[in-house]
Structure formats: structure tokens, C-alpha cells
Amino acid sequence: QKTQKKMKAAQGLFLVLVVVLCSVSLAKATFPSSVKASTAFKQSPVGYTPSKYQTGWFDTKLDHFDFTNNATFKMRYLYSWEFFKNSAEKPGPIFVYTGNEGDIVGFWENSGYWTNVMAPRHNALLLFPEHRYFGQSLPFGDQSLKGKNVGYLSTEQALADFGIFIHEFQKQHNLEKSPVIAFGGSYGGMLSAWFRMKYPQVVDGAIAASAPLVMYPGITSPYAFNEVVTNDFKNAKEGCAAAFKEGFDLLKELRTQTQYYQALKSELNLCSGVQSAADVDNIYNWISGAMGNMAMVDYPYASNLLGPVPASPVATGCEKLFEVWTQKQGSRFDRSNNPFLELLDRFFDAPSDLPKGNLLKALVAAVNVFYDYEGKATCNDVSGGGDGTDPWDYMACTEQVLPIASNGKTDIFWDQPWDLETFSKQCEEQWGTPSRPAWVPEHYGGWNYEQDFVMYSNIVFSQGNLDPWHIGGVTKTITGGKDLISFIMKGAAHHLDLRYPNKADPVDVTKGREVEDQYVTKWIQEARERKMASSR
């Protein structure tokens, strides 16, 4: 299912010129002392409508690194001149979203802080180029993932698309003096940072929101992601994480209890029957996968990034869990007529004031806050869907190897360790190529980001402490470089700072946007002065 695949990815500043750089503690968000929450970045959500855009197409090379290959394809991009103001004395800035693993329209709609606030504030032109092989930017149409056709899908090719596109766009519209600021969230935030690193002649600064730039084998623990998910549910409501843990233990027991397979289907309202332990595994994966997604989009208001969810879906799911678990059980749940519930009673030692036997139904109800918040599904499809052949699966197999595992000790999930050898073998069987898990830190840096990134400049790395991906991000300001700023926003989920400001936003998110705006202002002014001086 697309929402579960997102999880694999899955998955965003200073007005003054002299700034004291601050290191960031993992325990709390730290901002420069001059930053205060401004009402300018905490607007009412009432009436929010994504700004209008137009669609364009750019002929980009299929392979930027093979001089004998002149093939091209059409890359889609969105743009808006609505707020742009430009003059010889004050060239207008260009804000570029580095499109990531999906249809570019969705990223426009979920970047309201930039499309509706920052663009008018800075009189900027907006450009949203679409990532090759996603959305409508398909080099070989519906055959793009077939055989060797997929081999042109990489971060290096995508960044070259963006760099050449912006350069040509500026030439075509006589905007060579315009400052260019890149921004993006999640994988798009990674691209934004790498864009500044690899194409500093094109990009003058970058905002990398919720970008897991160092979440690669040998750098970040594969167990850290699920530890954050566990803590999110633990902190949302007392006993919630423990209830999921008990339910997962029960599912593991039921893998070998074939006599209860039929009862599992009926009690959990599954779309298909349970025939094997693998089907029980699917139930577990369906529930645990939703928990990671719920943690990602744990925004303080209803949202639709991965699908419709209510405000604070983690807490809402926990409330739903206890609501269902503690329901008074009628004749339908009479233990004498329901061997499945009898097993639950024997296995699960619930607190004495709670009825036993409704737990798995409660877990399903909890995660349906994510899967079926609008109540449209007639049954629960836990099959996983899809055949593992989408463009992100290919990237996750080749260079975007972002390991996520669990151990049942620092988290509430089954003990499923990370096995690179098995992973790489499966990727080779699927795509005909082995994984290269060390390629990204070797190519872009990141083995020790405080050393590797020090030669770069003008990048803000923002993280939210509720977001499981933040543990793979740049979480410390890099003090040896110019304007390499990091902060962690308390109460924030996945790139919340890129979204349209909402009155429910945590204070730290408002402060984070203020930091980003101040640095963007600084970088724009610096770029204008440099580019204007070079033309004299």
C-alpha cells in the first residue's frame, strides 16, 4: 500500500549578519536567543487554500553522465509568478522545491508555509520540479521500471535535472541575478541539502526539513526509528504502548494456533481469510506499519499528507484503543461460544478492571484512525498490496538504504533484526542489482557529518522530536561551517514546519519558521550583493 511504502523512504535564517551558533540537545529544541515566536508565522488555518500554480515541461537528458547518450524525456514542473517582483536594483528570489518520491502536486499542496506565506513575504517565484520516474515525469512511460530502463533513476540524475532546469529557466527569463533558495521535506529535504552541497553555483541556500541524511547502515542504529515510534505511543496515553506490545505478543502466539485462524478473520473483519502464519504476519505488519505512519503525521490538526487522519492521530488512536477494549461485551462475545476470546483470556493477563479478549479488535480500531478514518472500508485489507515494483522500492534497494528494524527491548515490536545480506539478496532478485548502502555517505558525506559537512554552507536542518525520521537527521549545528544550523522542534512531526501555519502549531514550530525566514532573508541579501557586484 502506498502509505506503507511512504514509510520506507519509507518520510523541512538570520536577519542579522553576526550570529551565535547553537548546538542542539536531543532532549529539547534549541534556538538562537534572538528568536521569538512571531504571530506572523502562526496564522489561522481557516480558509487555507493552496496557492494556484501552472504546469510546464522541460526536456531533460536521460543520462547526464554519458556523453554518448543524447536521449531526453519531459520533466514536469509547477510554477507560479503570482508573488514575484523583480527589478535591476533588487532581483527577485526563486524558491525551488526539490521534488521527492511522489506526484509533485501533492508536495505543492502540503508546503503551504512556502507557497502561501514565504513566497508573498519575499516576493518570490515558485518552482516545483518533479523527480524523475515519479508522477508524470516518466522517461519511458509505463515501461519506465522495466529492465534496464530503471537504471537512470538516482539522486545524482535527479539533482542534475534540477540544476540544469533552474539554470536554463533563469537564462530563458533573464533571471540570472535572482537568488535561488531550495527547500524540501523528508527525501525532498535530503535532496535540498545535497543540491546546495553539489550545486552551490545554482543554489544559494537550502532548508532541509525532516531530512534523514545520515540514516544509513553503520551511522544510525536501525532500531532507533521504532524506539521513537514506541515513545510517541507511550507518551500519548498511559498504557497505550504496553497494550500494543501485549497485542503483538498475542499475535506471535497465534501464528501457530491454526484452530483460531477462522476466528481471527471474523473478529478483525479481515477482507481475506487467515490460512497460514504468514497471514498472521501480515496482520502484525499492517498494524505496526500504521503506527510508524501515524507517528510521522502526528500533526496537531487534521491532515491528508498520507491520507485523511484526525488531529493528533497517535493520541486519537490510543483513545480509540481503550474505547474499544473497554466496551461492555454482549452475547456476541460470550466466551462459551467464542474459542478465540477464550484463548485471549488464557494468554493475555489484562489489568483486572479491563475485560479480556477485545484487545486485537482494539488495536485494529486504533490503526484504522490511519487506514480508514472516514469509515469507507467494508473490511480490513491486511495483504499489503502491490508487488514491490515502484520507483521508491528501486531507490531503497540501490542507494537509499535506510534500515529500520526492531528488537522488542527498546521498542514494543517483534524482534526483527536488520540483515543487510538478506536485504541485498532480495533486492538483487527483484531488480537485478545489489544494494550499495555505503554509496550515499561516500558520495555526499555523512559518516561523521560534523566533519564531512563543515566545508558546506547555508543549510538549515530542521527536525521534529515526534518524527521517527529525526534520529537519522543532522541534529547538531555544525559550528565549523557557515550557516549550518540545526534545531529540533518539540511537539512536531514530519516536516510540520513546511506546512501552512496553524493556530494549533507548537511554539517550537513557530520559532523554527522564524529561524528559517531569518536565514532565507540573510542568504537572499548576500546572493543579491554577490551577483550584483559580479555584473559591475
Side-chain angles (χ1 to χ4, degrees), residues 83-95 119 121-125 176-181 204 458 520-536:
F83 308 112
F84 188 59
K85 293 182 181 179
N86 185 57
S87 67
E89 298 77 22
K90 191 176 182 180
I94 302 173
F95 291 165
R121 185 178 182 87
H122 292 278
N123 303 126
L125 164 67
E176 290 93 338
K177 304 301 179 185
S178 289
V180 177
I181 305 297
D204 298 300
N458 294 7
V520 167
T521 301
K522 178 176 185 271
W523 298 336
I524 288 173
Q525 184 59 34
E526 289 176 346
R528 278 181 180 145
E529 292 174 357
R530 183 181 69 255
K531 294 179 180 183
M532 294 293 287
S534 67
S535 64
R536 293 176 185 145

Side-chain angles (χ1 to χ4, degrees), residues 447-464:
W447 291 114
N448 183 334
Y449 69 76
E450 292 182 82
Q451 294 180 15
D452 295 351
F453 293 172
V454 74
M455 75 287 291
Y456 303 127
S457 64
N458 294 7
I459 306 173
V460 169
F461 308 93
S462 65
Q463 315 290 343

Side-chain angles (χ1 to χ4, degrees), residues 417-447:
W418 168 251
D419 185 344
L420 178 58
E421 183 178 350
T422 300
F423 176 83
S424 187
K425 182 180 179 180
Q426 292 172 341
C427 287
E428 191 161 8
E429 292 174 353
Q430 178 69 48
W431 296 103
T433 179
S435 298
R436 296 176 65 183
W439 171 246
V440 167
E442 289 173 350
H443 184 62
Y444 298 107
W447 291 114

Side-chain angles (χ1 to χ4, degrees), residues 273-291:
V274 178
Q275 307 294 332
S276 65
D279 292 331
V280 180
D281 293 347
N282 284 341
I283 299 172
Y284 166 79
N285 291 332
W286 184 77
I287 295 173
S288 61
M291 294 174 71

